[in-house]
Amino acid sequence: MGYLDVSNLSKKKDRANYIHHLLNDIRALEMMIERNLIEESPIRIGAEQEFCLVDEQYEPTSSSLDVLKDLNDPHFTTEIGNFILEVNLDPIILNDRCFSSLHKQLKSAMQKAKTVAKAHQSKIVLAGIMPSIILENISLDKMTPMKRYEVLNEAITKTRREDFNIHIKGVDELNLLHDSVMLEGCNTSFQMHLQVNPHNFVDTYNWAQAIAGPVLSACTNSPILFGKELWSETRIALFTQSIDTRTNSYVLNENQSRVSFGMDWQRGTITDIFKNNISRFRSFLTTAYIMDSVDMIHNGEIPKLKALNLHNGTIYPWNRVCYGVYNDKPHLRIENRYIPSGPTLVDEIANLAFWVGVMTGKPKKYNDIHKIWDFKDVKNNFFNAARYGMATQFYWNGKYISSHDLILDELLPMAYKGLYSVGISPEDAEFYLKVIKDRVKSHNGSEWGIRSYRNLLKTYKRYEAMQLLTYHIYQKQQKGYPVSTWEVLKPNTSKLPKSKQTVKHIMNTDIFSVDKKDSIELVLNIMKWKNIHHMPVTDNTKKLQGILSWKDVEGYLNKKEKETIYVSKLMRKHVIVTDEHCLIEDAAKVMTDNNISLLPVLRRGKLIGLITTNDL
């Protein structure tokens, strides 16, 4: 959970004060390690659950602050989007039935949130990226109205000095400009924490990096964004680009993104990791400081290292190093940030058990892995896993191996060994690791989502398919069975109950358009080839300029000698239009009253779809 009481670091005096405390925190951490003050045992695990709030139409609903107020529970906190909340679970000692205990704690917290959300006509959905999210849900006015998020957005956009250019290419391609960090609000994750002994922290951290790709491949759950099929775990690409402080002109130099897998293996000590982050990334937030952390150690007190933790909270490596204090004892841990929310609570706890098992079950042959493997192979494994999920081929220990074979033949046996070595009960180890095994042999969240979405598109237009997919994710989550047991949705899946149908449910988004400078001869041929009776005329920004119908060009067809005529001469400039939120019956009335068979759909003056009498 990040600090909420922050301000922009703009004044020289504030910056100097912040840097003083930041450097002091580094010295204090070194002193605590030298004096063996950092807790070595017992080892604890923990987790943070982010979740989305939706309305009766399974669209994001801006009710997070109202729900949070009525929850009245310090475990819950806000996220950047006003339709997202987060619950922070209490740390628990890694032994015996700890995963079942954490599962029970998570289930209880989510049931509490579900009950309160229901009173606000909201439901809870777990998804790395909720399929029904559209661009309207991530506009600046949908940001949670809290200073932390306003300051973060202001600082990052000021540093960039230009819009965020999002380009993600998968089966489909997404290319858009956005004016704020709110794109981050599309992402929800299940962040997993593992406490680590400070004396072998760096080697343990490097192992966490080495296994990230294979672990992620089994857990992907975010294949669809704005109706486009992109990466198996699209969050990885989206978060990297949505919080990038670098301008496009700097992308090709050596500057590292704040969201990153890293540049190389870590070497040295734990403090060297923090020092590297401070060297690479400048601070842009500050908060109130009361005591000097070094003085606190001299006085026998344990500091919270507020300046260091605040800086650490503005960089987002997929495996993040964290310092914390629990029961008045300082500790170090690795925060796994790449695992998405969902598909179910049991899937999430299984992901945690699998990751912790592989972390603790590392064979001796993988000690000092930074001396054995090339870091770029590990980094490539991670991004391939984000793109392809269970279809990934990994370069592992000097040879290529499929995700299925690597997990089933090496990592799952390793996880069993690791869990047993730290005292996990056979009941917990068997139950949760079997969830992973069944998923590898069947399908994970991304594979189920992609197959289901493709089937829905055979019957429904894009937005309704997005909405239906979210509805069925919610329904299946209520039953609680792991995603490996979910049956892929069929094309004829029925519509939402009590669905309020609007233009966006039926509009065509795969649009052919022409420019007013195009020749009528070209337009005629396109209309013939594609059996199109109406052709919208747009400029290079997709703003609607006019409409050309078959009737408008009939006269040109009858001419024996055809002179070159351009679209601008024959198009109709005065066009009746609608927007995507118009009810279908209202759109139908407009078309009937005006005796038209085509209605362009605009968003802020730009053409986003068409509806015809056939669609009605």
Side-chain angles (χ1 to χ4, degrees):
M1 188 191 307
Y3 293 112
L4 297 178
D5 183 19
V6 296
S7 58
N8 210 324
L9 195 59
S10 54
K11 297 178 182 178
K12 288 183 179 179
K13 184 179 179 180
D14 291 341
R15 186 174 293 278
N17 182 53
Y18 173 76
I19 295 298
H20 168 75
H21 283 283
L22 183 58
L23 297 179
N24 246 18
D25 284 356
I26 288 290
R27 285 191 284 271
L29 179 59
E30 290 175 330
M31 290 169 65
M32 285 188 281
I33 293 173
E34 289 168 4
R35 299 181 185 188
N36 291 319
L37 296 176
I38 304 291
E39 186 177 46
E40 297 179 19
S41 65
I43 296 299
R44 293 180 177 85
I45 57 172
E48 302 169 50
Q49 172 75 72
E50 296 173 350
F51 56 92
C52 295
L53 297 165
V54 299
D55 60 20
E56 293 296 328
Q57 300 299 308
Y58 296 87
E59 298 170 342
T61 180
S62 305
S63 60
S64 64
L65 290 183
D66 294 330
V67 172
L68 184 65
K69 182 182 177 182
D70 288 355
L71 278 167
N72 192 28
D73 185 335
H75 290 88
F76 291 87
T77 188
T78 58
E79 277 297 319
I80 193 168
N82 63 11
F83 54 90
I84 302 173
L85 286 175
E86 174 184 290
V87 59
N88 295 268
L89 303 183
D90 294 324
I92 189 168
I93 294 174
L94 180 63
N95 65 11
D96 198 27
R97 302 294 302 275
C98 65
F99 294 106
S100 293
S101 297
L102 203 68
H103 191 175
K104 185 177 179 181
Q105 184 190 156
L106 177 58
K107 194 173 182 178
S108 175
M110 295 306 292
Q111 182 58 47
K112 183 177 181 180
K114 179 182 175 181
T115 302
V116 175
K118 186 178 181 180
H120 292 274
Q121 292 75 52
S122 302
K123 303 175 189 294
I124 288 172
V125 174
L126 303 179
I129 296 175
M130 197 161 56
S132 56
I133 279 182
I134 58 175
L135 274 170
E136 280 187 27
N137 303 133
I138 53 157
S139 56
L140 207 50
D141 63 310
K142 299 298 191 297
M143 180 182 286
T144 302
M146 298 186 72
K147 192 173 182 182
R148 169 183 173 82
Y149 307 117
E150 294 170 8
V151 169
L152 179 68
N153 181 64
E154 180 185 342
I156 291 178
T157 52
K158 185 178 179 181
T159 302
R160 282 184 60 85
R161 300 187 300 276
E162 63 181 43
D163 286 345
F164 296 85
N165 188 356
I166 307 300
H167 185 209
I168 306 172
K169 195 168 185 178
V171 174
D172 300 322
E173 186 171 0
L174 178 70
N175 201 352
L176 64 89
L177 288 174
H178 200 62
D179 60 356
S180 75
V181 298
M182 270 298 292
L183 273 163
E184 180 196 341
C186 294
N187 300 322
T188 53
S189 61
F190 183 72
Q191 295 161 24
M192 312 187 301
H193 295 255
L194 174 65
Q195 190 175 330
V196 176
N197 189 309
H199 300 296
N200 58 4
F201 192 97
V202 171
D203 192 50
T204 304
Y205 182 85
N206 284 336
W207 177 240
Q209 293 281 78
I211 67 172
V215 170
L216 175 61
S217 70
C219 306
T220 59
N221 189 38
S222 314
I224 295 160
L225 175 61
F226 305 144
K228 294 181 180 290
E229 184 183 324
L230 301 172
W231 290 12
S232 284
E233 192 50 45
T234 304
R235 285 172 48 258
I236 303 300
L238 181 62
F239 192 32
T240 301
Q241 296 180 40
S242 66
I243 209 84
D244 200 346
T245 54
R246 303 170 300 174
T247 57
N248 292 335
S249 58
Y250 289 130
V251 168
L252 294 179
N253 71 15
E254 293 297 323
N255 286 354
Q256 184 177 326
S257 170
R258 283 182 181 265
V259 181
S260 170
F261 188 75
M263 303 280 281
D264 201 352
W265 296 113
Q266 296 294 342
R267 294 175 176 83
T269 66
I270 173 66
T271 55
D272 289 318
I273 299 177
F274 286 115
K275 288 174 183 176
N276 182 55
N277 291 337
I278 293 169
S279 301
R280 286 189 182 277
F281 304 108
R282 296 296 174 263
S283 304
F284 46 71
L285 301 179
T286 189
T287 189
Y289 307 101
I290 300 172
M291 298 186 69
D292 186 294
S293 54
V294 172
D295 289 343
M296 290 181 71
I297 294 176
H298 288 315
N299 294 331
E301 301 174 81
I302 298 299
K304 292 188 176 180
L305 307 185
K306 286 180 74 174
L308 183 60
N309 279 340
L310 183 60
H311 181 274
N312 204 41
T314 63
I315 56 170
Y316 310 92
W318 294 110
N319 283 305
R320 182 155 69 181
V321 181
C322 296
Y323 166 88
V325 179
Y326 184 70
N327 289 340
D328 297 322
K329 292 182 180 180
H331 67 269
L332 294 166
R333 64 186 187 275
I334 294 173
E335 177 189 25
N336 178 328
R337 300 177 52 82
Y338 55 79
I339 300 297
S341 288
T344 64
L345 300 185
V346 68
D347 280 301
E348 292 178 329
I349 299 299
N351 293 341
L352 175 59
F354 180 44
W355 178 62
V356 170
V358 177
M359 286 292 293
T360 54
K362 181 184 69 170
K364 289 182 180 179
K365 66 179 180 179
Y366 294 128
N367 287 344
D368 294 323
I369 199 158
H370 66 283
K371 297 178 181 178
I372 309 169
W373 290 6
D374 191 311
F375 181 78
K376 288 190 174 180
D377 288 327
V378 170
K379 188 172 183 177
N380 195 45
N381 282 344
F382 179 76
F383 285 104
N384 281 342
R387 286 184 176 93
Y388 308 117
M390 290 302 302
T392 309
Q393 285 282 111
F394 291 110
Y395 191 73
W396 182 270
N397 216 18
K399 62 181 181 181
Y400 285 100
I401 183 171
S402 72
S403 175
H404 291 73
D405 290 346
L406 177 58
I407 292 172
L408 294 176
D409 297 342
E410 183 166 2
L411 296 188
L412 273 174
M414 191 187 299
Y416 276 106
K417 179 183 174 184
L419 295 183
Y420 290 142
S421 73
V422 294
I424 300 300
S425 70
E427 293 92 339
D428 262 23
E430 290 289 338
F431 178 78
Y432 290 108
L433 292 185
K434 185 178 184 300
V435 171
I436 300 296
K437 184 177 181 180
D438 290 346
R439 195 192 301 164
V440 172
K441 289 185 172 182
S442 178
H443 54 243
N444 65 14
S446 286
E447 291 170 318
W448 177 87
I450 287 168
R451 299 296 167 193
S452 296
Y453 184 57
R454 288 179 183 176
N455 279 345
L456 291 173
L457 287 174
K458 294 174 183 176
T459 305
Y460 299 100
K461 297 288 173 58
R462 188 170 73 179
Y463 183 78
E464 192 163 14
M466 292 158 59
Q467 207 175 9
L468 268 171
L469 188 60
T470 305
Y471 165 70
H472 284 283
I473 288 172
Y474 170 79
Q475 293 295 332
K476 291 177 182 298
Q477 284 173 357
Q478 302 315 297
K479 296 176 181 177
Y481 300 122
V483 72
S484 61
T485 67
W486 292 11
E487 185 179 349
V488 172
L489 300 180
K490 293 179 170 57
N492 59 352
T493 299
S494 59
K495 292 184 178 182
L496 285 181
K498 300 179 183 178
S499 178
K500 188 168 63 177
Q501 296 282 298
T502 60
V503 164
K504 65 185 173 186
H505 289 99
I506 64 167
M507 68 183 184
N508 293 294
T509 55
D510 184 15
I511 306 166
F512 289 93
S513 62
V514 293
D515 188 275
K516 61 183 180 181
K517 296 178 182 177
D518 286 333
S519 71
I520 290 296
E521 186 179 10
L522 170 64
V523 176
L524 272 170
N525 279 286
I526 295 174
M527 294 173 83
K528 286 179 181 177
W529 295 334
K530 297 297 178 181
N531 193 26
I532 296 172
H533 295 92
H534 298 85
M535 183 69 79
V537 184
T538 61
D539 64 14
N540 58 2
T541 67
K542 292 294 179 185
K543 283 195 174 181
L544 186 67
Q545 305 287 300
I547 288 287
L548 204 62
S549 72
W550 191 256
K551 288 182 179 179
D552 296 325
V553 297
E554 276 182 330
Y556 179 81
L557 280 172
N558 296 328
K559 286 186 178 182
K560 292 182 180 179
E561 293 185 14
K562 293 183 174 61
E563 60 179 311
T564 302
I565 299 177
Y566 299 99
V567 169
S568 57
K569 186 173 181 179
L570 297 182
M571 72 180 190
R572 285 179 285 129
K573 296 180 181 178
H574 301 291
V575 183
I576 297 170
V577 300
T578 189
D579 66 75
E580 61 196 304
H581 304 295
C582 177
L583 292 173
I584 291 177
E585 53 264 38
D586 293 339
K589 188 175 186 305
V590 168
M591 294 173 74
T592 302
D593 291 349
N594 291 278
N595 194 27
I596 55 176
S597 56
L598 176 93
L599 200 56
V601 186
L602 305 189
R603 182 190 296 150
R604 293 189 289 274
K606 295 186 178 181
L607 184 68
I608 61 168
L610 299 170
I611 58 172
T612 68
T613 48
N614 287 337
D615 298 317
L616 295 172

